[in-house]
Amino acid sequence: MLSSTADNLFWMARYMERSENTARLLTGLYHMSLLPARRGAQAGLWEGLFQSEDERNAYLAKYDSFKTDPVLTYMVLDRDNSSSIRSCVWSARENVRATRHVLTTDMWETVNSTWLDIAQTTYADMQDMGHHEFLEWIKVRSHLFRGVAHGTMRRGEAFEFWRMGVFIERAENTIRLLAARAHTFKPTGPVSREDTATLDYYQWGTLLRSVNAYKAYREIYKSQIDPRRVVELLTLNAEIPRSVMACVEEICEVLEGLRPRSRCFEQSRDLLNRLQSARIDRVYRTGMARFLEDYRAGLHDLSLQIQKDFLMIQ
């Protein structure tokens, strides 16, 4: 397979997965913004979306406050924001268009119809439909695309590059979600002041729901929501489809099948070994923020190495 084709497949998967992840994140924040306890701190809630100075500056160049309407407009529909859902769907469509010769007609039609719908959507349309309902629609379109890919693609190299893009993007997103809350952890445990306990419950519950892991948490731990256990579930439990462990296992499997002696396979095995040997109590003592940042850097390096070994980067 040509490296340009592999590159298109890899990024097609990442952009569609990213559009769904952004919809999940916005859904959670939107629900949190409706809580009575968050009314006075709504700006801080939305501002937390922008984790780097460059992201904040790009947003503030267009809007003067972090409120629900402008943030949703910017993150969902803004043409100039490369991370907006609109931009991600457009990029996915362009990558599908470039690789139509190795993809099925159903895949093209699914992503193209999603693009045609979102390209005509305005913020007024979102309000008419309902914010929650619109973001759910984005998730459903991503699920549909993934289902069509699973149901129609031949199990060959093209399928494996698509899988690799999905799981790299998914693992990075879960790390980002947890890293955004890392400041609430201390070596002796999570912040547990009485006056914030209820709010913490809703916030961590919202995070679990954003990755469809709330029910699994209840089944496994059978107790009230504890931030330490949430982190353990979403990083170290391979049974949770969006956990970092589950995603890295999938990446290792794909790379072992494609090129078991490659540098990127060695890196993926190293990342998996680090997770398998990690214990949540030890991670707490050494620092949750540092653990997440180190692992995020490791995933980023792995993504770059994959592109060097297989794709367009030389």
Side-chain angles (χ1 to χ4, degrees):
M1 176 183 292
L2 293 173
S3 62
S4 58
T5 302
D7 189 72
N8 289 133
L9 292 165
F10 180 75
W11 285 104
M12 168 193 77
R14 294 200 64 162
Y15 282 124
M16 281 305 289
E17 186 70 20
R18 193 173 297 177
S19 69
E20 178 184 340
N21 291 334
T22 302
R24 288 177 177 279
L25 178 61
L26 293 175
T27 300
L29 290 175
Y30 178 69
H31 288 163
M32 287 167 61
S33 74
L34 300 178
L35 295 174
R38 297 300 303 173
R39 283 175 185 162
Q42 194 180 88
L45 181 72
W46 289 114
E47 189 174 354
L49 264 176
F50 305 92
Q51 295 183 15
S52 74
E53 198 64 27
D54 288 344
E55 291 173 340
R56 283 174 52 84
N57 291 338
Y59 174 82
L60 291 173
K62 290 197 168 193
Y63 304 99
D64 57 6
S65 63
F66 293 95
K67 294 182 179 177
T68 301
D69 289 355
V71 169
L72 285 178
T73 302
Y74 184 74
M75 293 301 297
V76 175
L77 300 174
D78 196 291
R79 296 166 184 256
D80 301 323
N81 176 14
S82 61
S83 299
S84 73
I85 291 174
R86 185 185 193 280
S87 296
C88 288
V89 174
W90 180 83
S91 298
R93 177 183 177 273
E94 290 303 294
N95 281 284
V96 173
R97 188 168 62 84
T99 50
R100 289 184 66 176
H101 60 289
V102 297
L103 299 178
T104 63
T105 303
D106 287 350
M107 289 181 72
W108 163 252
E109 291 179 348
T110 301
V111 74
N112 190 48
S113 62
T114 302
W115 163 247
L116 293 175
D117 286 340
I118 200 170
Q120 300 174 33
T121 300
T122 65
Y123 190 72
D125 295 329
M126 277 182 61
Q127 288 179 307
D128 289 343
M129 187 173 178
H131 294 117
H132 172 80
E133 289 74 12
F134 181 83
L135 294 169
E136 284 296 310
W137 175 78
I138 293 292
K139 288 164 57 179
V140 168
R141 296 304 299 185
S142 176
H143 294 173
L144 178 62
F145 181 73
R146 195 159 54 242
V148 168
H150 266 287
T152 64
M153 282 185 81
R154 183 178 71 82
R155 270 39 176 178
E157 285 189 342
F159 183 76
E160 297 302 330
F161 279 109
W162 170 77
R163 281 183 66 204
M164 193 156 56
V166 168
F167 291 113
I168 283 276
E169 186 68 30
R170 190 175 293 179
E172 288 189 351
N173 179 68
T174 300
I175 290 281
R176 273 197 298 269
L177 285 174
L178 294 173
R181 297 282 298 154
H183 64 282
T184 65
F185 292 102
K186 294 180 178 179
T188 55
V191 173
S192 57
R193 300 199 321 263
E194 271 188 33
D195 59 331
T196 63
T198 302
L199 185 59
D200 282 347
Y201 167 81
Y202 283 111
Q203 289 185 336
W204 286 102
T206 299
L207 189 151
L208 284 170
R209 290 186 180 91
S210 73
V211 291
N212 284 107
Y214 183 82
K215 184 178 179 183
Y217 181 94
R218 290 297 195 192
E219 290 174 348
I220 293 171
Y221 295 109
K222 298 180 174 58
S223 65
Q224 67 180 23
I225 294 177
D226 175 354
R228 185 188 305 234
R229 288 176 171 169
V230 173
V231 174
E232 182 179 52
L233 187 79
L234 296 183
T235 54
L236 306 180
N237 193 320
E239 296 177 348
I240 307 302
R242 291 184 176 274
S243 76
V244 182
M245 177 81 86
C247 295
V248 175
E249 281 187 347
E250 295 278 0
I251 295 165
C252 286
E253 182 182 305
V254 170
L255 290 173
E256 186 172 21
L258 287 172
R259 195 179 297 174
R261 295 183 179 179
S262 62
R263 174 65 185 141
C264 57
F265 176 62
E266 292 177 7
Q267 286 186 224
S268 69
R269 286 297 313 175
D270 178 60
L271 287 174
L272 183 59
N273 291 338
R274 285 165 58 184
L275 285 179
Q276 290 173 335
S277 62
R279 297 292 178 270
I280 195 65
D281 290 339
R282 193 164 61 205
V283 169
Y284 254 89
R285 287 196 298 273
T286 56
M288 179 61 69
R290 191 174 76 180
F291 170 78
L292 293 172
E293 184 53 40
D294 286 350
Y295 210 84
R296 178 160 61 177
L299 281 171
H300 180 69
D301 290 343
L302 172 61
S303 178
L304 291 178
Q305 190 62 46
I306 288 171
Q307 293 174 73
K308 289 178 182 175
D309 289 350
F310 294 104
L311 310 180
M312 298 293 287
I313 292 180
Q314 299 300 320

